[in-house]
Amino acid sequence: KINDAAVVSTPNDGNTSVNRKHRLAYDVERVVQEHLTYVREEISDGWDLIHQEGEMKVYRREVEENGIVVDPLKIFHSMKGVTGHEICQYFWDYQYRMEWETTLDSTKIIEVLDPDTVIFFQMHKRVWPAAQRDSCFWSHIRCISNSEEDQPTWLVVNYTTPHHLAPIKSPHVRLVANVALICETIINEPPLNIQDIKRENIECKLTYVAFVNPGGWVPSAALRSVAKREYPRFLKRFTSYVLEQTRDKPILF
Ligand code: 18C
């Protein structure tokens, strides 16, 4: 299945014209372009390094809106042995999600907008004593070619949207998310022939950003401490999962 990715994900030439015809195409384009703009932004004042482990650095900015914690979060990581395409494909494809996500009770695709864009409805695990959260978001995967020589950039964006098949039902609370995973592949000491590239020659630099509003009040200190523990845990588990899944497979550029 994973080898079909090139068929379902058409490389975009970086041009911003929208040729996808579904109702959310402009929303998708706007949010993708925003992420591509901000991903290059340096870490500045106000961002705290809250966790560092090997190549992984987790930054957070403390922000509250109407008393609700909405801290933006950014993770930078670099890993050898996988491509950006592989990382993004495993993050986007629902069939692998329950194998690496430990904070979900369920995930379901409720609409397919185009081969690269689907709408998910997810039920998150309840954290006592807070109300259980659910989420409904479009999820889009894209490949952007930067130049003939460089490997393309791959990204996935998950962005909250309402949907008639996912009404908000009390006691569940709908969280609001804007999440992006952006990956660059680097080929170290490239052999002359592309067929000779081995997994030890490849490296993926990834940026994960999350803007999440829990959708209702949650005690600030408890939320910040759960988030500080759970985001690094998620990225470690997810990246090890992709390494393990791809180790003996042909490289997916
Ligand atoms: O990006 C990730 N996953 C994607 C695919 O599922 C998708 C997910 C988007 C939603 C992210 C929102 C996370 C908040 C979930 C709240 C409930 C979680 C239960 C936690 C269980 C311990 O883009 C990877 C997402 C990685 C998420 C890490 C968990 C962050 C926890 C945040 C704090 C939870 C707050 C509740 C605190 C209550 C304290 C009394």
Side-chain angles (χ1 to χ4, degrees):
K1 174 79 175 83
I2 197 83
N3 290 325
D4 295 345
V7 181
V8 296
S9 302
T10 39
N12 181 294
D13 58 6
N15 179 326
T16 54
S17 67
V18 181
N19 52 15
R20 294 172 165 86
K21 290 287 179 243
H22 61 79
R23 69 184 186 284
L24 294 175
Y26 284 92
D27 203 23
V28 169
E29 202 52 39
R30 177 181 61 80
V31 183
V32 164
Q33 294 306 327
E34 264 171 31
H35 280 294
L36 287 170
T37 306
Y38 292 117
V39 74
R40 292 173 233 289
E41 236 183 25
E42 296 288 314
I43 283 294
S44 54
D45 289 351
W47 287 91
D48 301 318
L49 178 64
I50 56 163
H51 186 91
Q52 180 162 18
E53 200 172 331
E55 294 293 318
M56 177 169 69
K57 284 185 173 163
V58 183
Y59 293 89
R60 175 166 78 183
R61 204 150 54 82
E62 294 202 349
V63 180
E64 290 186 26
E65 273 171 16
N66 306 320
I68 299 177
V69 169
V70 293
D71 300 349
L73 182 116
K74 268 193 199 197
I75 311 183
F76 298 109
H77 194 23
S78 172
M79 52 195 288
K80 294 215 161 80
V82 285
T83 64
H85 188 174
E86 289 168 329
I87 293 268
C88 284
Q89 190 66 35
Y90 279 95
F91 186 70
W92 182 75
D93 198 330
Y94 80 97
Q95 64 172 312
Y96 308 110
R97 187 153 304 161
M98 296 307 278
E99 293 178 26
W100 57 264
E101 274 267 28
T102 57
T103 62
L104 283 184
D105 272 350
S106 63
T107 182
K108 181 160 89 174
I109 291 183
I110 55 173
E111 189 177 347
V112 177
L113 292 166
D114 69 22
D116 304 336
T117 318
V118 296
I119 299 183
F120 280 99
F121 175 65
Q122 302 200 141
M123 192 61 73
H124 298 266
K125 282 195 172 145
R126 184 171 177 219
V127 186
W128 188 90
Q132 187 166 25
R133 263 59 184 174
D134 65 21
S135 57
C136 181
F137 55 90
W138 55 253
S139 184
H140 175 73
I141 184 166
R142 181 167 313 178
C143 164
I144 299 155
S145 306
N146 304 312
S147 72
E148 290 271 304
E149 304 84 58
D150 292 337
Q151 287 291 315
T153 299
W154 278 86
L155 87 151
V156 175
V157 178
N158 293 337
Y159 190 88
T160 289
T161 189
H163 198 283
H164 68 282
L165 294 176
I168 301 172
K169 284 193 202 136
S170 174
H172 299 145
V173 172
R174 176 71 39 95
L175 65 81
V176 180
N178 177 2
V179 168
L181 177 67
I182 301 166
C183 296
E184 276 177 67
T185 307
I186 292 155
I187 316 241
N188 296 312
E189 299 166 44
L192 283 176
N193 198 331
I194 189 155
Q195 274 92 3
D196 297 332
I197 299 177
K198 303 247 172 343
R199 287 206 174 267
E200 61 249 36
N201 298 117
I202 59 180
E203 189 178 344
C204 176
K205 287 194 184 300
L206 73 83
T207 307
Y208 172 87
V209 292
F211 303 91
V212 177
N213 182 323
W217 189 79
V218 174
S220 305
L223 187 141
R224 286 192 168 120
S225 96
V226 177
K228 183 176 175 174
R229 185 187 69 215
E230 291 300 323
Y231 279 105
R233 186 180 277 181
F234 134 67
L235 201 74
K236 268 170 60 181
R237 186 177 161 91
F238 169 66
T239 50
S240 336
Y241 174 77
V242 180
L243 271 175
E244 199 179 295
Q245 291 293 311
T246 49
R247 186 174 294 134
D248 301 319
K249 296 205 173 80
I251 303 170
L252 182 67
F253 287 103

